[in-house]
Amino acid sequence: MRIYVAFVFGECICINLGLGAYPEKSATQPGAGPTNLNSLKEIENDPKSLKMLTYNFETVRCMNEMASEFKPTIREGIRYWNMTVQYWLAIYIYRKTAASKPIKMLVTMFVSAIWHGVYPGYYLSLLGTPLLLISEIEVEKAFRKHATELQQEIYDFVWITGKNRD
């Protein structure tokens, strides 16, 4: 809970400072900023439209707490945790690593562990994540892929319960 509070306070500080405010039309994403640059050019060319604009702060949004906690897979939970840093890791580490997918994941998690500090727990948990993600993909292929809708819901419930168990 303290981490969630810290993330929310960080977002509130950025919002109060006006950081990360972009028009909704620009389709902003956490960490990435505006993805529809043509809409920004249109707004710039039409000064009258500035009064009618609505802004959002999606660029500085760190996490989606509900999705991080209640998405069924570890991969989806991670995707919604600290999204701005994950964007940076994906763009500058994962995509630039010239190796196979498992090696790319391992290198990215290693950089993330260095980012967090020198405690051994960071390295154990973050470097174990690629193994968990690969295992999760294989289990999903084996059990969930060909299941009925009811069986998929049961699978998701069991997976969420197992994922959130401390």
Side-chain angles (χ1 to χ4, degrees):
M1 193 62 171
R2 68 186 170 103
I3 293 172
Y4 289 154
V5 170
F7 278 138
V8 169
F9 278 151
E11 290 173 20
C12 289
I13 289 167
C14 289
I15 290 168
N16 282 321
L17 291 173
L19 300 174
Y22 288 98
E24 283 187 2
K25 292 180 181 179
S26 63
T28 57
Q29 292 180 350
T35 58
N36 184 356
L37 298 178
N38 291 332
S39 69
L40 291 177
K41 289 177 185 175
E42 289 172 12
I43 292 167
E44 187 178 64
N45 294 334
D46 185 15
K48 293 179 184 178
S49 68
L50 289 174
K51 294 178 183 177
M52 307 291 259
L53 284 179
T54 55
Y55 292 87
N56 73 23
F57 291 88
E58 220 25 57
T59 303
V60 295
R61 186 173 185 191
C62 288
M63 72 182 324
N64 182 336
E65 295 85 355
M66 295 302 286
S68 183
E69 289 292 332
F70 297 110
K71 289 289 185 176
T73 63
I74 296 168
R75 178 178 301 278
E76 289 175 307
I78 290 172
R79 185 173 291 135
Y80 293 104
W81 177 269
N82 207 351
M83 295 182 288
T84 52
V85 172
Q86 283 198 44
Y87 173 80
W88 185 88
L89 287 169
I91 294 298
Y92 296 104
I93 306 300
Y94 185 84
R95 289 186 183 170
K96 298 206 184 231
T97 303
S100 65
K101 195 172 183 175
I103 300 298
K104 289 171 121 175
M105 280 194 292
L106 194 64
V107 168
T108 305
M109 290 301 178
F110 181 72
V111 170
S112 183
I114 291 170
W115 179 299
H116 282 86
V118 294
Y119 298 107
Y122 292 138
Y123 294 91
L124 287 172
S125 64
L126 291 170
L127 293 177
T129 302
L131 181 62
L132 284 173
L133 294 177
I134 291 167
S135 302
E136 181 178 75
I137 290 166
E138 295 303 317
V139 169
E140 193 167 290
K141 282 181 194 174
F143 295 106
R144 191 176 192 278
K145 188 175 180 181
H146 303 292
T148 66
E149 191 173 325
L150 177 63
Q151 290 170 332
Q152 287 180 359
E153 288 178 20
I154 293 168
Y155 174 90
D156 289 346
F157 175 78
V158 170
W159 210 252
I160 289 170
T161 305
K163 181 183 89 166
N164 290 336
R165 191 170 159 255
D166 287 336

